[in-house]
Amino acid sequence: EAGVAQSPRYKIIEKRQSVAFWCNPISGHATLYWYQQILGQGPKLLIQFQNNGVVDDSQLPKDRFSAERLKGVDSTLKIQPAKLEDSAVYLCASSLGYRGFTEAFFGQGTRLTVV
Amino acid sequence: QQQVKQSPQSLIVQKGGISIINCAYENTAFDYFPWYQQFPGKGPALLIAIRPDVSEKKEGRFTISFNKSAKQFSLHIMDSQPGDSATYFCAASNPGYSTLTFGKGTMLLVSP
């Protein structure tokens, strides 16, 4: 079974530039998550989709971050404009459902460095 | 604010020893407590998980102990091996939702 695919693996940008990350979840998984993992910390949820609808985006900095999941499959996460504190690994995960606990499978992440 | 507090931050164990990582939570509504293992450059992967209606769950060399009254749970790795060297995260999820609140992680090094 193919895992969660993310691209790019690494990205270096200057502050105030924009950047976008792409995620392809495991086939058949209705729920997709974006997590931010700052060095030395655990992942923090940014946004959760159920199919193409948003379930939880309470921790998404909406003034600069946006995410979409068209057609309920692939997803993109965008940052515009980037700040130094956005340097982190951005992890995409997917699971079969979202009611009750279902195992979330994580991709390898995109490491973003803002200089 | 929902929090999961994890300790220690780092741990060095000799091969064959027991590794113990502890977590404490505040929100009594949490109803699922997984542990994730993360190797450098990889995403976290589910290792073992427990629900609060049981006090212990064992899978191979990995055991979760759960104390509902103390709001604490721990991961025990028996006969630790160098291949277990990784960062371990405890987490918790709310009923009705599958979003995870993670601890800050424990970097485990098993020396040969």
Side-chain angles (χ1 to χ4, degrees), chain A residues 41-43, chain B residues 3-8 21-25 30 32-38 44-50 64-65 71-75 87-93 100-106:
Chain A
Q41 297 185 19
Chain B
Q3 278 190 325
V4 178
K5 296 182 180 179
Q6 184 172 348
S7 63
I21 304 170
N22 302 299
C23 282
Y25 62 96
F30 285 145
Y32 204 88
F33 301 89
W35 285 88
Y36 279 81
Q37 181 187 55
Q38 185 176 29
L46 181 65
L47 188 62
I48 186 172
I50 197 168
I64 299 179
S65 297
K71 294 187 288 185
Q72 295 176 347
F73 59 110
S74 60
L75 175 69
T87 300
Y88 292 81
F89 294 96
C90 61
S93 70
L100 295 166
T101 300
F102 284 88
K104 289 192 173 183
T106 296

Short mmCIF file of all heavy atoms in Angstrom, two decimals, chain A residues 41-43, chain B residues 3-8 21-25 30 32-38 44-50 64-65 71-75 87-93 100-106:
data_model
loop_
_atom_site.label_atom_id
_atom_site.label_comp_id
_atom_site.label_asym_id
_atom_site.label_seq_id
_atom_site.Cartn_x
_atom_site.Cartn_y
_atom_site.Cartn_z
N GLN A 41 9.99 19.84 19.09
CA GLN A 41 8.62 19.79 19.62
C GLN A 41 7.80 18.72 18.91
O GLN A 41 8.19 18.20 17.87
CB GLN A 41 7.95 21.15 19.45
CG GLN A 41 8.62 22.27 20.23
CD GLN A 41 7.84 23.57 20.14
OE1 GLN A 41 6.66 23.59 19.81
NE2 GLN A 41 8.52 24.66 20.45
N GLY A 42 6.67 18.41 19.51
CA GLY A 42 5.76 17.48 18.88
C GLY A 42 4.96 18.16 17.79
O GLY A 42 4.84 19.39 17.76
N PRO A 43 4.39 17.38 16.87
CA PRO A 43 3.56 17.97 15.82
C PRO A 43 2.34 18.69 16.39
O PRO A 43 1.76 18.25 17.38
CB PRO A 43 3.12 16.74 15.00
CG PRO A 43 4.14 15.69 15.29
CD PRO A 43 4.54 15.92 16.72
N GLN B 3 -3.19 19.96 26.97
CA GLN B 3 -1.76 19.72 26.98
C GLN B 3 -1.46 18.28 27.31
O GLN B 3 -2.19 17.62 28.05
CB GLN B 3 -1.10 20.61 28.03
CG GLN B 3 -0.82 22.03 27.60
CD GLN B 3 0.04 22.76 28.60
OE1 GLN B 3 -0.08 22.54 29.80
NE2 GLN B 3 0.92 23.61 28.14
N VAL B 4 -0.37 17.83 26.76
CA VAL B 4 0.19 16.54 27.13
C VAL B 4 1.64 16.79 27.47
O VAL B 4 2.39 17.28 26.63
CB VAL B 4 0.05 15.51 25.98
CG1 VAL B 4 0.70 14.20 26.38
CG2 VAL B 4 -1.41 15.30 25.63
N LYS B 5 2.03 16.50 28.70
CA LYS B 5 3.40 16.76 29.16
C LYS B 5 4.18 15.46 29.17
O LYS B 5 3.75 14.47 29.76
CB LYS B 5 3.37 17.40 30.54
CG LYS B 5 2.71 18.76 30.55
CD LYS B 5 2.73 19.40 31.92
CE LYS B 5 2.07 20.79 31.88
NZ LYS B 5 2.06 21.42 33.22
N GLN B 6 5.36 15.49 28.55
CA GLN B 6 6.16 14.28 28.36
C GLN B 6 7.53 14.45 28.99
O GLN B 6 8.15 15.52 28.92
CB GLN B 6 6.30 14.01 26.85
CG GLN B 6 7.03 12.75 26.50
CD GLN B 6 6.97 12.43 25.00
OE1 GLN B 6 6.19 13.03 24.26
NE2 GLN B 6 7.79 11.51 24.56
N SER B 7 8.02 13.37 29.60
CA SER B 7 9.37 13.37 30.18
C SER B 7 9.96 11.97 30.13
O SER B 7 9.20 10.97 30.11
CB SER B 7 9.31 13.85 31.63
OG SER B 7 8.55 12.96 32.42
N PRO B 8 11.28 11.84 30.08
CA PRO B 8 12.26 12.91 29.99
C PRO B 8 12.38 13.43 28.56
O PRO B 8 11.82 12.85 27.64
CB PRO B 8 13.54 12.21 30.43
CG PRO B 8 13.39 10.82 29.92
CD PRO B 8 11.92 10.50 30.08
N ILE B 21 9.32 6.01 29.37
CA ILE B 21 8.96 7.38 29.02
C ILE B 21 7.58 7.66 29.61
O ILE B 21 6.68 6.82 29.50
CB ILE B 21 8.93 7.58 27.50
CG1 ILE B 21 10.27 7.19 26.88
CG2 ILE B 21 8.60 9.04 27.16
CD1 ILE B 21 10.25 7.13 25.37
N ASN B 22 7.44 8.81 30.25
CA ASN B 22 6.22 9.13 30.96
C ASN B 22 5.47 10.31 30.34
O ASN B 22 6.09 11.24 29.81
CB ASN B 22 6.54 9.47 32.42
CG ASN B 22 7.23 8.33 33.12
OD1 ASN B 22 6.69 7.24 33.26
ND2 ASN B 22 8.46 8.58 33.56
N CYS B 23 4.15 10.27 30.42
CA CYS B 23 3.33 11.37 29.96
C CYS B 23 2.19 11.63 30.94
O CYS B 23 1.71 10.70 31.60
CB CYS B 23 2.75 11.09 28.57
SG CYS B 23 3.95 11.34 27.26
N ALA B 24 1.80 12.89 31.03
CA ALA B 24 0.68 13.29 31.88
C ALA B 24 -0.23 14.19 31.07
O ALA B 24 0.24 14.96 30.22
CB ALA B 24 1.18 14.02 33.12
N TYR B 25 -1.52 14.08 31.31
CA TYR B 25 -2.46 14.90 30.55
C TYR B 25 -3.40 15.62 31.51
O TYR B 25 -3.52 15.26 32.68
CB TYR B 25 -3.24 14.04 29.55
CG TYR B 25 -4.10 12.96 30.18
CD1 TYR B 25 -5.46 13.16 30.43
CD2 TYR B 25 -3.55 11.73 30.52
CE1 TYR B 25 -6.24 12.17 31.01
CE2 TYR B 25 -4.32 10.73 31.10
CZ TYR B 25 -5.66 10.95 31.33
OH TYR B 25 -6.43 9.97 31.91
N PHE B 30 -10.04 13.24 27.07
CA PHE B 30 -9.23 12.42 26.16
C PHE B 30 -9.63 10.96 26.33
O PHE B 30 -9.79 10.46 27.45
CB PHE B 30 -7.74 12.57 26.48
CG PHE B 30 -7.13 13.87 26.03
CD1 PHE B 30 -6.14 14.47 26.79
CD2 PHE B 30 -7.52 14.48 24.85
CE1 PHE B 30 -5.56 15.67 26.39
CE2 PHE B 30 -6.94 15.68 24.44
CZ PHE B 30 -5.97 16.28 25.22
N TYR B 32 -8.21 8.36 23.97
CA TYR B 32 -7.33 7.47 23.22
C TYR B 32 -5.92 7.99 23.35
O TYR B 32 -5.67 9.19 23.19
CB TYR B 32 -7.76 7.41 21.75
CG TYR B 32 -7.32 6.13 21.06
CD1 TYR B 32 -8.11 4.99 21.10
CD2 TYR B 32 -6.12 6.07 20.37
CE1 TYR B 32 -7.73 3.83 20.47
CE2 TYR B 32 -5.73 4.91 19.73
CZ TYR B 32 -6.53 3.79 19.79
OH TYR B 32 -6.15 2.63 19.18
N PHE B 33 -4.98 7.08 23.66
CA PHE B 33 -3.62 7.50 23.99
C PHE B 33 -2.62 6.67 23.19
O PHE B 33 -2.22 5.58 23.60
CB PHE B 33 -3.38 7.34 25.50
CG PHE B 33 -4.35 8.13 26.33
CD1 PHE B 33 -5.57 7.59 26.72
CD2 PHE B 33 -4.05 9.43 26.71
CE1 PHE B 33 -6.47 8.32 27.47
CE2 PHE B 33 -4.95 10.17 27.47
CZ PHE B 33 -6.15 9.62 27.85
N PRO B 34 -2.19 7.19 22.04
CA PRO B 34 -1.21 6.47 21.22
C PRO B 34 0.22 6.94 21.49
O PRO B 34 0.45 8.06 21.98
CB PRO B 34 -1.63 6.84 19.80
CG PRO B 34 -2.22 8.22 19.94
CD PRO B 34 -2.80 8.30 21.34
N TRP B 35 1.14 6.08 21.18
CA TRP B 35 2.55 6.43 21.16
C TRP B 35 3.04 6.33 19.73
O TRP B 35 2.74 5.35 19.03
CB TRP B 35 3.37 5.49 22.05
CG TRP B 35 3.20 5.75 23.51
CD1 TRP B 35 2.26 5.24 24.34
CD2 TRP B 35 4.01 6.61 24.32
NE1 TRP B 35 2.42 5.71 25.61
CE2 TRP B 35 3.49 6.56 25.64
CE3 TRP B 35 5.13 7.42 24.07
CZ2 TRP B 35 4.04 7.28 26.69
CZ3 TRP B 35 5.68 8.13 25.12
CH2 TRP B 35 5.14 8.06 26.42
N TYR B 36 3.81 7.36 19.31
CA TYR B 36 4.37 7.38 17.97
C TYR B 36 5.89 7.32 18.06
O TYR B 36 6.52 7.86 18.98
CB TYR B 36 3.94 8.64 17.22
CG TYR B 36 2.55 8.54 16.62
CD1 TYR B 36 1.42 8.76 17.41
CD2 TYR B 36 2.37 8.22 15.29
CE1 TYR B 36 0.15 8.66 16.88
CE2 TYR B 36 1.10 8.12 14.74
CZ TYR B 36 0.00 8.34 15.55
OH TYR B 36 -1.26 8.23 15.02
N GLN B 37 6.48 6.68 17.05
CA GLN B 37 7.94 6.56 16.93
C GLN B 37 8.35 7.32 15.67
O GLN B 37 7.73 7.15 14.61
CB GLN B 37 8.32 5.08 16.82
CG GLN B 37 9.80 4.79 16.70
CD GLN B 37 10.03 3.31 16.41
OE1 GLN B 37 9.49 2.75 15.45
NE2 GLN B 37 10.83 2.65 17.25
N GLN B 38 9.39 8.15 15.80
CA GLN B 38 9.83 8.92 14.64
C GLN B 38 11.34 8.81 14.48
O GLN B 38 12.10 9.14 15.39
CB GLN B 38 9.43 10.40 14.78
CG GLN B 38 9.74 11.23 13.55
CD GLN B 38 9.24 12.66 13.66
OE1 GLN B 38 9.15 13.22 14.74
NE2 GLN B 38 8.92 13.28 12.52
N PRO B 44 6.14 10.57 11.86
CA PRO B 44 5.83 9.69 13.00
C PRO B 44 5.03 8.47 12.53
O PRO B 44 4.23 8.55 11.60
CB PRO B 44 4.96 10.58 13.90
CG PRO B 44 5.23 11.98 13.45
CD PRO B 44 5.53 11.89 11.99
N ALA B 45 5.25 7.35 13.20
CA ALA B 45 4.52 6.12 12.91
C ALA B 45 3.94 5.56 14.19
O ALA B 45 4.61 5.54 15.23
CB ALA B 45 5.44 5.09 12.25
N LEU B 46 2.68 5.12 14.12
CA LEU B 46 2.02 4.58 15.31
C LEU B 46 2.74 3.33 15.81
O LEU B 46 3.01 2.41 15.05
CB LEU B 46 0.56 4.24 14.99
CG LEU B 46 -0.26 3.67 16.14
CD1 LEU B 46 -0.43 4.70 17.25
CD2 LEU B 46 -1.62 3.20 15.65
N LEU B 47 3.03 3.33 17.12
CA LEU B 47 3.74 2.21 17.74
C LEU B 47 2.77 1.32 18.51
O LEU B 47 2.71 0.12 18.33
CB LEU B 47 4.80 2.77 18.68
CG LEU B 47 5.80 1.82 19.30
CD1 LEU B 47 6.65 1.14 18.24
CD2 LEU B 47 6.69 2.58 20.29
N ILE B 48 2.01 1.93 19.38
CA ILE B 48 1.08 1.21 20.25
C ILE B 48 0.11 2.24 20.82
O ILE B 48 0.47 3.41 20.96
CB ILE B 48 1.83 0.45 21.37
CG1 ILE B 48 0.89 -0.42 22.19
CG2 ILE B 48 2.62 1.41 22.24
CD1 ILE B 48 1.65 -1.33 23.19
N ALA B 49 -1.11 1.81 21.14
CA ALA B 49 -2.10 2.75 21.66
C ALA B 49 -2.97 2.07 22.70
O ALA B 49 -3.10 0.84 22.71
CB ALA B 49 -2.95 3.32 20.54
N ILE B 50 -3.59 2.87 23.57
CA ILE B 50 -4.43 2.33 24.63
C ILE B 50 -5.64 3.21 24.84
O ILE B 50 -5.59 4.42 24.59
CB ILE B 50 -3.61 2.19 25.95
CG1 ILE B 50 -4.30 1.27 26.95
CG2 ILE B 50 -3.34 3.57 26.57
CD1 ILE B 50 -3.40 0.89 28.13
N ILE B 64 2.29 -0.25 27.28
CA ILE B 64 1.75 1.00 27.81
C ILE B 64 1.12 0.68 29.15
O ILE B 64 0.31 -0.24 29.27
CB ILE B 64 0.68 1.61 26.89
CG1 ILE B 64 1.22 1.94 25.52
CG2 ILE B 64 0.12 2.88 27.54
CD1 ILE B 64 0.14 2.52 24.60
N SER B 65 1.46 1.50 30.16
CA SER B 65 0.79 1.45 31.45
C SER B 65 -0.03 2.72 31.59
O SER B 65 0.45 3.81 31.29
CB SER B 65 1.81 1.36 32.58
OG SER B 65 2.54 0.17 32.49
N LYS B 71 -4.07 10.49 35.80
CA LYS B 71 -3.99 11.09 34.47
C LYS B 71 -2.58 10.99 33.92
O LYS B 71 -1.98 11.99 33.45
CB LYS B 71 -4.50 12.53 34.49
CG LYS B 71 -5.99 12.64 34.79
CD LYS B 71 -6.54 14.04 34.63
CE LYS B 71 -6.07 14.92 35.75
NZ LYS B 71 -6.66 16.27 35.70
N GLN B 72 -2.03 9.77 34.01
CA GLN B 72 -0.68 9.53 33.53
C GLN B 72 -0.64 8.23 32.74
O GLN B 72 -1.40 7.30 33.01
CB GLN B 72 0.29 9.45 34.71
CG GLN B 72 0.44 10.74 35.50
CD GLN B 72 1.33 10.58 36.72
OE1 GLN B 72 1.65 9.47 37.13
NE2 GLN B 72 1.73 11.71 37.30
N PHE B 73 0.27 8.17 31.79
CA PHE B 73 0.51 6.93 31.07
C PHE B 73 1.97 6.89 30.66
O PHE B 73 2.64 7.94 30.55
CB PHE B 73 -0.42 6.75 29.87
CG PHE B 73 -0.37 7.83 28.83
CD1 PHE B 73 0.18 7.57 27.58
CD2 PHE B 73 -0.90 9.10 29.06
CE1 PHE B 73 0.20 8.56 26.59
CE2 PHE B 73 -0.87 10.08 28.10
CZ PHE B 73 -0.32 9.81 26.85
N SER B 74 2.48 5.68 30.49
CA SER B 74 3.90 5.54 30.22
C SER B 74 4.15 4.44 29.20
O SER B 74 3.33 3.53 29.03
CB SER B 74 4.66 5.25 31.51
OG SER B 74 4.20 4.05 32.09
N LEU B 75 5.29 4.56 28.53
CA LEU B 75 5.73 3.56 27.56
C LEU B 75 6.96 2.87 28.15
O LEU B 75 7.91 3.54 28.57
CB LEU B 75 6.08 4.22 26.23
CG LEU B 75 6.68 3.31 25.16
CD1 LEU B 75 5.63 2.32 24.65
CD2 LEU B 75 7.25 4.13 24.00
N THR B 87 12.95 9.15 18.22
CA THR B 87 12.19 10.07 19.07
C THR B 87 10.80 9.49 19.26
O THR B 87 10.15 9.07 18.29
CB THR B 87 12.11 11.47 18.46
OG1 THR B 87 13.43 11.99 18.31
CG2 THR B 87 11.31 12.41 19.36
N TYR B 88 10.36 9.47 20.49
CA TYR B 88 9.04 8.90 20.83
C TYR B 88 8.12 10.02 21.32
O TYR B 88 8.51 10.86 22.14
CB TYR B 88 9.20 7.83 21.92
CG TYR B 88 9.93 6.62 21.41
CD1 TYR B 88 11.32 6.61 21.34
CD2 TYR B 88 9.24 5.49 20.96
CE1 TYR B 88 12.00 5.51 20.83
CE2 TYR B 88 9.90 4.40 20.46
CZ TYR B 88 11.29 4.41 20.40
OH TYR B 88 11.96 3.33 19.89
N PHE B 89 6.91 10.01 20.79
CA PHE B 89 5.91 11.00 21.17
C PHE B 89 4.70 10.29 21.76
O PHE B 89 4.18 9.34 21.18
CB PHE B 89 5.43 11.79 19.94
CG PHE B 89 6.48 12.66 19.31
CD1 PHE B 89 7.21 12.20 18.23
CD2 PHE B 89 6.72 13.94 19.79
CE1 PHE B 89 8.17 13.01 17.63
CE2 PHE B 89 7.67 14.75 19.20
CZ PHE B 89 8.40 14.28 18.12
N CYS B 90 4.25 10.78 22.91
CA CYS B 90 2.94 10.36 23.38
C CYS B 90 1.92 11.35 22.82
O CYS B 90 2.26 12.47 22.42
CB CYS B 90 2.87 10.32 24.89
SG CYS B 90 3.16 11.91 25.72
N ALA B 91 0.68 10.93 22.75
CA ALA B 91 -0.36 11.78 22.21
C ALA B 91 -1.69 11.39 22.85
O ALA B 91 -1.80 10.37 23.53
CB ALA B 91 -0.44 11.65 20.69
N ALA B 92 -2.68 12.24 22.62
CA ALA B 92 -4.02 11.97 23.13
C ALA B 92 -5.02 12.55 22.16
O ALA B 92 -4.74 13.54 21.47
CB ALA B 92 -4.19 12.57 24.51
N SER B 93 -6.19 11.92 22.10
CA SER B 93 -7.24 12.44 21.21
C SER B 93 -8.56 12.55 21.94
O SER B 93 -8.82 11.81 22.90
CB SER B 93 -7.41 11.56 19.97
OG SER B 93 -7.98 10.33 20.32
N LEU B 100 -4.89 14.72 17.04
CA LEU B 100 -3.98 14.34 18.10
C LEU B 100 -3.33 15.56 18.74
O LEU B 100 -2.93 16.49 18.05
CB LEU B 100 -2.89 13.43 17.55
CG LEU B 100 -3.37 12.06 17.02
CD1 LEU B 100 -2.28 11.40 16.21
CD2 LEU B 100 -3.80 11.17 18.17
N THR B 101 -3.23 15.52 20.08
CA THR B 101 -2.41 16.47 20.82
C THR B 101 -1.16 15.74 21.26
O THR B 101 -1.25 14.74 21.99
CB THR B 101 -3.17 17.01 22.05
OG1 THR B 101 -4.36 17.67 21.62
CG2 THR B 101 -2.30 18.00 22.81
N PHE B 102 -0.01 16.19 20.80
CA PHE B 102 1.24 15.50 21.04
C PHE B 102 2.01 16.08 22.22
O PHE B 102 1.94 17.29 22.50
CB PHE B 102 2.15 15.61 19.80
CG PHE B 102 1.77 14.71 18.67
CD1 PHE B 102 0.85 15.12 17.71
CD2 PHE B 102 2.35 13.46 18.52
CE1 PHE B 102 0.51 14.31 16.65
CE2 PHE B 102 2.02 12.64 17.46
CZ PHE B 102 1.10 13.05 16.52
N GLY B 103 2.79 15.22 22.88
CA GLY B 103 3.80 15.69 23.80
C GLY B 103 5.00 16.22 23.02
O GLY B 103 5.03 16.14 21.79
N LYS B 104 5.99 16.73 23.74
CA LYS B 104 7.13 17.35 23.08
C LYS B 104 8.16 16.34 22.58
O LYS B 104 9.08 16.70 21.85
CB LYS B 104 7.80 18.37 24.00
CG LYS B 104 6.96 19.62 24.21
CD LYS B 104 7.77 20.72 24.90
CE LYS B 104 6.95 22.01 24.94
NZ LYS B 104 7.74 23.13 25.54
N GLY B 105 8.04 15.11 22.98
CA GLY B 105 8.93 14.08 22.46
C GLY B 105 10.07 13.72 23.40
O GLY B 105 10.50 14.53 24.22
N THR B 106 10.53 12.48 23.27
CA THR B 106 11.69 11.98 24.01
C THR B 106 12.65 11.36 23.03
O THR B 106 12.26 10.45 22.28
CB THR B 106 11.28 10.92 25.05
OG1 THR B 106 10.43 11.51 26.04
CG2 THR B 106 12.52 10.31 25.73
#
